[in-house]
Amino acid sequence: MTNREKSHTKNPSKSDSKSRRKRRLIHELMRLFTGFCVLLSCCLLLGIVSFIVIRGLGALSVDFLTGVMAEVGASGGILYQLLGTLLLLLTAAVVVIPLALGCALVQSVFLTREAHRRNITLVLYLLNGVPSIVFGIVGMIVFVQWFGWGKSWLAGGILLGLMILPTVCVTLIERIQAVPKKYIEAARGLGLSRAQTIRSVILPQSIGGLFTGLLLGLARAAGETAPIMFTATIFSGATLPSGVKESPVLSLPYHIFILAQDSYDPATKAKLWGSALVLIFLVFLLSLLALPARLRIHEEANHL
Amino acid sequence: MKTRYSPRSYIELWSWLFAALTLFVLLAGAVLLLKDSVLVWKHEGTEILTGKEWFYRSETFGAAAMIYGTLIVAVLALLIAAPLGIGAAICTVEYLPARWRMVIKTMIEMLAGIPSVVYGLLGILILRNWIYQLFEDFEILSGDTLLTAGILLGVMILPTVMTLADDALSGVARAQRIAARGLGLNATDTIFSVSLPQALPGLIAALLLALGRAMGETIAVFLVIGRQDNQWPGELFSLRPLVESGQTLSSKLGGAEINIAYGQPLHWSAMVGLSFLLLLLVVGLTLLGLWIREHSKHTSYDK
Amino acid sequence: MSQPLFQIRDLEILQTTGDKKSLLAPLNLEIQKQEVFGVIGPSGAGKSSFLKCLNRLIDLSAGLSVRGDIKFEGQSIYQGSIDADTLRVQIGMLFQQPVIFPKSILANVLFAVKHLALAPKSEWHDIAQRALTQAALWDEVKDRLSQPAQQLSVGQQQRLCLARTLATGCEVLLMDEPTSALDPNSTEAIEQLILELKQTHSIVIVTHNINQAQRVCDRLGFIGLRDGMGTLLAQGTLRELMTQRENVAEIDAYLRTTESIRLDT
């Protein structure tokens, strides 16, 4: 064999080094551009959060958290808004847990055909894409028009629960699928029935996923306004509900939503930022609680 | 294992029950939307899509201006979020070390966690003033414009674009990149010749899903768009309407008109019809995005 | 003797995370031009990592750092200002699993040529034909160059990877257990190719198969685990390695676990 076979890089021609310089330049430009994108995204987050913290911190006090709103939001606190939001979240959690468990177990344990599993996943993804205002409208049709509940905390909780179902369910499914096959096979090999296997192996191993998903879902539900504005929440004049019919609650997001539209009075503005800060704090708290478990899952995935 | 679809335990019975309940509730929701909007379909026919005028007192229900607003605002948002989100995803997946990636991903997901009403608040108290000052020379009436809503939405869907783009890019097998690097391609050559082409379906899906999210977003848009009905642009491709107020499907639905409509069959069914249109738009985009992603999974080479 | 191809001085691989332990103890070695140098040893001893050091592909492994230096044709590749990407064009690499880009056969062969603009477009066809011929694949694929490369058998894919590397005009080939994923026939084909390419190329090959080492390698280095670190314990021809067997316990242990070999030479 002779040397004719490898001629084209032996003596790098001028055009060769020119192309190398060009590629080098593109490389540097790309790094610059994408780095800028990351920086800008992170700055946006830090900017927004610090902005709200700076504006809102002044309004924050124990009285603000434990006081009752007065003067159309210009003074007083947000006690019942906070309690109302917590009540909605609690209801949503109670609604979503059985549904998510059922859907996740059906999807990942009871269905054995891949096509059927994919269909459930598809439904979950679609549900996740449904605009929150559509939940509000459907809720109005069902609970206000049909059931005659008027505005009710229960309607809001159910709607929020349905809305976060995909988040909870998908997280749980991921966790169930991460349970090592050998455990399940071992349990079945020991003669445990499918139900016993679920109770003694699958659920204990994956129940963390339910809570992680629940926290993430609730973080999203806490800030939602659109599904509850026509069905569950009012701006003022409610405390804690005593029944179901005609028993609205106050809520933080709706409080902010209404005050934001009428935001010229400085005293109201200060309270408004304070409320936004509390809401963001609540949302971040919920998603931060879910973070360790998610990081662990990521690490496990990377170590495979 | 052969499956018999007869439940053999309480836990199984219970699971099927709740899964069926979920499905039933979803179907019922869609059916109700359709049923409650029958009146307006009969009343307007296709006019609801093409009609440029919406006057509920004279029972004229044309949603064209709202559909226009929805599309413009969502596309504006995408124009901002797409380069920024995909750029950031490229940086975290391709250039930065893995531990940085988790930090940035976490931060971006926090950005996604900020409630839309808080974005709306920022829009109303800050962004719309900036827009007003910036375009004062164009004699705009207020800072509540389609552009304001578009920018705000762009920031809001940025995490969606970035997270999904990140998933798409990190789904490209590492071995593929190493092989390209082994041939002497630098990191950027590898991005353009291996990562981006192979992640392309996932990236397109990311953009479609984000577009769907942008169209469905209500509260933030509601607060900064001005909610001006019947803003059909004189010239379809002029930029002027961008700095004027408008209305989107979702901002219409979020407004007080829904309370006026409640109890008046035709007007109510028109509002429900709007939400059905919105649902159709968003679900269509979501389906398309998911289909592209799934389809590419089956054809792409996984090694 | 002329200048060695690789002159490895105190090469050490360290973990940058965790307990910062050393994966590869300081290693000194010279690899000559136009020889097939084999690296053998038990798995987990760092043979592959060592190989990746030679074209700095190790840079892409997170959590590892390299100390010491390697001179490639007299030029330092770790301490100088050499461009690692350019280095990798000159030193091609073949992996354990064939990694095919999801494109046509032709696009795979010309991948580097195209994206690195190594040659004008008019020469591409000739380059592809030459590279595929060198990899003994031309006759099998010449009629279906535009078909997806995924349709090839694993053995053919590995030869396609070889052709893809040869198309860059590199003179040095690193091979990381190139036949461990292949069936006996494909393995034989690759071994045959190594013996042919030896005329024009220098080859460093990691192998777990001592019989393969005997068939294709001129000289061998044995990297074994000592004190939890990969350590170069012996080098020389296979025969010289065998004589070390009594002195170095690790080699003896390794040879016991592999199939018995017949030393005919």
Side-chain angles (χ1 to χ4, degrees):
Chain A
M1 221 174 268
T2 62
N3 268 345
R4 77 186 150 76
E5 257 112 13
K6 43 193 174 149
S7 49
H8 47 277
T9 53
K10 205 74 194 287
N11 298 313
S13 60
K14 260 184 196 150
S15 72
D16 200 38
S17 69
K18 213 167 101 188
S19 109
R20 193 178 308 153
R21 267 208 305 278
K22 195 176 120 197
R23 291 191 299 114
R24 193 82 222 167
L25 182 71
I26 293 175
H27 178 59
E28 294 304 330
L29 286 177
M30 261 302 269
R31 275 174 32 148
L32 216 63
F33 168 70
T34 60
F36 165 78
C37 290
V38 167
L39 212 64
L40 187 61
S41 309
C42 292
C43 285
L44 268 172
L45 172 73
L46 292 177
I48 289 172
V49 172
S50 53
F51 191 87
I52 293 167
V53 169
I54 290 167
R55 294 280 177 108
L57 218 49
L60 229 51
S61 65
V62 179
D63 289 344
F64 184 63
L65 292 176
T66 58
V68 180
M69 180 186 78
E71 295 176 46
V72 204
S75 70
I78 52 167
L79 175 67
Y80 286 111
Q81 282 82 359
L82 203 53
L83 289 180
T85 290
L86 292 179
L87 177 67
L88 289 174
L89 292 187
L90 191 70
T91 318
V94 171
V95 169
V96 77
I97 286 174
L99 294 181
L101 262 177
C103 290
L105 283 178
V106 162
Q107 199 271 0
S108 51
V109 182
F110 295 124
L111 283 183
T112 45
R113 251 201 267 161
E114 190 54 35
H116 293 164
R117 294 179 166 204
R118 267 216 299 276
N119 284 342
I120 298 242
T121 318
L122 179 70
V123 169
L124 288 173
Y125 277 128
L126 281 183
L127 181 61
N128 196 36
V130 172
S132 51
I133 186 73
V134 174
F135 276 95
I137 302 288
V138 173
M140 217 171 152
I141 296 175
V142 175
F143 298 111
V144 181
Q145 196 178 17
W146 201 10
F147 290 7
W149 281 1
K151 282 191 176 182
S152 162
W153 58 276
L154 186 58
I158 292 173
L159 286 172
L160 289 178
L162 281 175
M163 215 187 69
I164 63 172
L165 178 66
T167 313
V168 187
C169 211
V170 167
T171 320
L172 180 57
I173 288 172
E174 275 171 7
R175 207 76 189 114
I176 291 179
Q177 280 167 352
V179 175
K181 281 274 178 303
K182 57 182 180 201
Y183 291 174
I184 299 171
E185 279 158 14
R188 294 310 293 274
L190 285 170
L192 269 68
S193 73
R194 199 146 62 151
Q196 285 167 323
T197 310
I198 291 170
R199 266 200 300 272
S200 58
V201 179
I202 297 177
L203 280 186
Q205 292 257 340
S206 56
I207 204 74
L210 182 68
F211 290 111
T212 310
L214 194 60
L215 287 169
L216 289 176
L218 290 180
R220 193 177 147 206
E224 278 294 345
T225 316
I228 56 174
M229 59 201 262
F230 302 129
T231 53
T233 182
I234 54 175
F235 176 66
S236 69
T239 52
L240 284 180
S242 52
V244 171
K245 271 193 176 185
E246 300 295 345
S247 48
V249 285
L250 306 184
S251 72
L252 262 182
Y254 193 61
H255 182 72
I256 298 169
F257 177 66
I258 293 297
L259 285 187
Q261 295 175 64
D262 186 20
S263 53
Y264 302 101
D265 171 40
T268 315
K269 243 187 201 172
K271 297 276 175 189
L272 190 50
W273 288 117
S275 313
L277 179 57
V278 174
L279 182 60
I280 284 200
F281 180 77
L282 184 65
V283 170
F284 282 3
L285 184 71
L286 286 167
S287 41
L288 276 179
L289 284 175
L291 191 65
R294 302 187 61 216
L295 286 182
R296 208 178 55 233
I297 293 172
H298 263 282
E299 260 172 27
E300 278 166 15
N302 288 341
H303 279 272
L304 280 179
Chain B
M1 201 198 320
K2 187 114 172 57
T3 323
R4 272 164 288 151
Y5 284 103
S6 57
R8 277 167 287 185
S9 61
Y10 285 119
I11 204 163
E12 182 162 359
L13 184 71
W14 181 78
S15 299
W16 282 109
L17 199 72
F18 278 106
L21 181 65
T22 308
L23 221 61
F24 169 75
V25 167
L26 294 184
L27 278 178
V31 168
L32 279 179
L33 277 183
L34 200 56
K35 179 186 147 287
D36 262 36
S37 56
V38 164
L39 268 183
V40 80
W41 307 129
K42 279 187 183 155
H43 180 78
E44 290 284 341
T46 54
E47 278 286 294
I48 193 167
L49 291 176
T50 55
K52 295 170 189 128
E53 291 184 328
W54 178 285
F55 292 109
Y56 65 86
R57 281 180 228 282
S58 60
E59 299 191 335
T60 316
F61 302 109
M66 282 173 256
I67 296 173
Y68 166 82
T70 304
L71 293 177
I72 289 292
V73 168
V75 167
L76 273 177
L78 206 60
L79 284 179
I80 293 168
L84 212 55
I86 293 180
I90 288 175
C91 188
T92 51
V93 176
E94 308 280 345
Y95 294 123
L96 289 176
R99 60 204 146 92
W100 274 99
R101 176 165 165 244
M102 282 320 291
V103 173
I104 289 169
K105 250 179 104 79
T106 310
M107 274 184 82
I108 297 299
E109 278 175 33
M110 301 282 272
L111 191 63
I114 297 176
S116 55
V117 70
V118 173
Y119 278 108
L121 187 61
L122 291 164
I124 224 169
L125 291 177
I126 302 166
L127 187 61
R128 71 171 178 181
N129 297 336
W130 289 354
I131 296 286
Y132 185 70
Q133 281 157 17
L134 202 61
F135 292 98
E136 225 170 356
D137 298 340
F138 293 89
E139 294 174 358
I140 63 174
L141 296 172
S142 76
D144 293 332
T145 66
L146 296 182
L147 183 67
T148 321
I151 293 173
L152 202 59
L153 261 186
V155 178
M156 290 180 69
I157 63 168
L158 176 62
T160 310
V161 175
M162 195 192 146
T163 308
L164 292 173
D166 184 293
D167 288 348
L169 283 169
S170 49
V172 175
R174 197 176 137 71
Q176 293 270 323
R177 293 194 181 91
I178 300 280
R181 296 300 301 271
L183 287 168
L185 277 72
N186 66 31
T188 305
D189 298 333
T190 308
I191 292 170
F192 283 116
S193 61
V194 174
S195 309
L196 283 182
Q198 291 187 38
L200 190 64
L203 293 176
I204 293 174
L207 294 183
L208 287 174
L209 294 176
L211 196 65
R213 175 131 290 188
M215 286 183 177
E217 173 50 46
T218 307
I219 297 300
V221 175
F222 178 92
L223 289 174
V224 297
I225 201 166
R227 302 191 299 282
Q228 189 83 36
D229 270 335
N230 304 321
Q231 287 284 79
W232 184 259
E235 285 170 75
L236 203 51
F237 296 105
S238 110
L239 290 177
R240 175 73 202 181
L242 297 187
V243 288
E244 280 169 8
S245 298
Q247 184 83 282
T248 68
L249 289 169
S250 59
S251 70
K252 182 78 170 175
L253 290 168
E257 195 177 320
I258 201 109
N259 294 320
I260 302 170
Y262 185 71
Q264 295 175 342
L266 185 60
H267 190 190
W268 171 249
S269 89
M271 297 302 278
V272 176
L274 289 186
S275 49
F276 190 76
L277 284 181
L278 180 63
L279 185 68
L280 228 51
L281 260 177
V282 174
V283 165
L285 280 172
T286 312
L287 268 180
L288 190 61
L290 291 175
W291 184 80
I292 289 176
R293 207 165 65 170
E294 279 301 307
H295 192 71
S296 69
K297 258 185 211 157
H298 295 301
T299 52
S300 81
Y301 183 69
D302 43 348
K303 201 156 221 175
Chain C
M1 192 178 258
S2 67
Q3 188 182 44
L5 182 74
F6 288 110
Q7 218 173 348
I8 302 159
R9 287 281 163 269
D10 298 322
L11 182 79
E12 207 181 342
I13 305 175
L14 302 151
Q15 275 185 337
T16 52
T17 54
D19 44 4
K20 303 202 187 283
K21 67 172 187 160
S22 179
L23 289 186
L24 192 68
L27 184 152
N28 288 289
L29 182 68
E30 281 179 6
I31 297 172
Q32 304 304 327
K33 280 178 189 161
Q34 312 282 302
E35 76 170 342
V36 179
F37 188 89
V39 182
I40 57 168
S43 54
K47 303 189 298 286
S48 295
S49 300
F50 163 71
L51 194 68
K52 283 184 189 162
C53 289
L54 297 178
N55 68 349
R56 287 192 50 179
L57 209 58
I58 194 88
D59 296 3
L60 305 186
S61 306
L64 296 180
S65 73
V66 174
R67 223 186 269 163
D69 195 22
I70 298 174
K71 280 201 172 79
F72 172 59
E73 293 183 332
Q75 199 185 359
S76 165
I77 67 171
Y78 278 100
Q79 275 150 19
S81 59
I82 196 164
D83 177 27
D85 296 315
T86 315
L87 181 76
R88 292 188 201 115
V89 182
Q90 293 168 289
I91 307 176
M93 184 146 187
L94 209 57
F95 300 91
Q96 209 167 359
Q97 297 274 346
V99 184
I100 292 292
F101 299 118
K103 297 167 188 266
S104 72
I105 294 171
L106 191 66
N108 264 282
V109 178
L110 292 173
F111 189 82
V113 179
K114 179 184 164 199
H115 290 289
L116 300 176
L118 292 177
K121 217 167 182 171
S122 55
E123 292 174 22
W124 284 8
H125 187 265
D126 290 344
I127 292 173
Q129 179 171 359
R130 216 154 50 208
L132 284 167
T133 310
Q134 271 185 307
L137 199 60
W138 177 250
D139 291 334
E140 290 162 60
V141 301
K142 65 182 173 198
D143 299 324
R144 46 174 178 148
L145 287 174
S146 56
Q147 283 177 20
Q150 295 99 300
Q151 290 175 354
L152 297 174
S153 73
V154 183
Q156 287 173 321
Q157 287 185 8
Q158 191 63 300
R159 276 180 284 152
L160 181 58
C161 289
L162 182 60
R164 192 171 67 190
T165 308
L166 291 171
T168 62
C170 64
E171 290 168 17
V172 184
L173 286 168
L174 309 179
M175 302 184 176
D176 188 1
E177 301 194 14
T179 61
S180 65
L182 307 184
D183 61 82
N185 283 337
S186 306
T187 303
E188 205 189 317
I190 296 277
E191 285 178 8
Q192 194 57 43
L193 279 171
I194 293 173
L195 292 175
E196 281 167 22
L197 286 168
K198 198 174 139 174
Q199 314 293 325
T200 47
H201 293 70
S202 312
I203 297 170
V204 184
I205 177 170
V206 168
T207 175
H208 62 279
N209 183 335
I210 194 102
N211 291 311
Q212 183 173 62
Q214 186 191 8
R215 284 194 293 269
V216 301
C217 299
D218 299 317
R219 285 197 316 132
L220 291 170
F222 180 89
I223 295 183
L225 273 173
R226 185 174 275 183
D227 305 328
M229 281 185 285
T231 313
L232 182 70
L233 293 171
Q235 54 168 310
T237 61
L238 183 61
R239 186 168 283 279
E240 285 164 355
L241 236 61
M242 299 300 279
T243 60
Q244 292 274 316
R245 191 171 174 167
E246 280 99 60
N247 307 335
V248 187
E250 285 87 349
I251 298 183
D252 189 49
Y254 174 70
L255 289 177
R256 273 172 206 282
T257 62
T258 59
E259 324 156 35
S260 62
I261 56 160
R262 283 163 281 117
L263 266 185
D264 306 325
T265 46

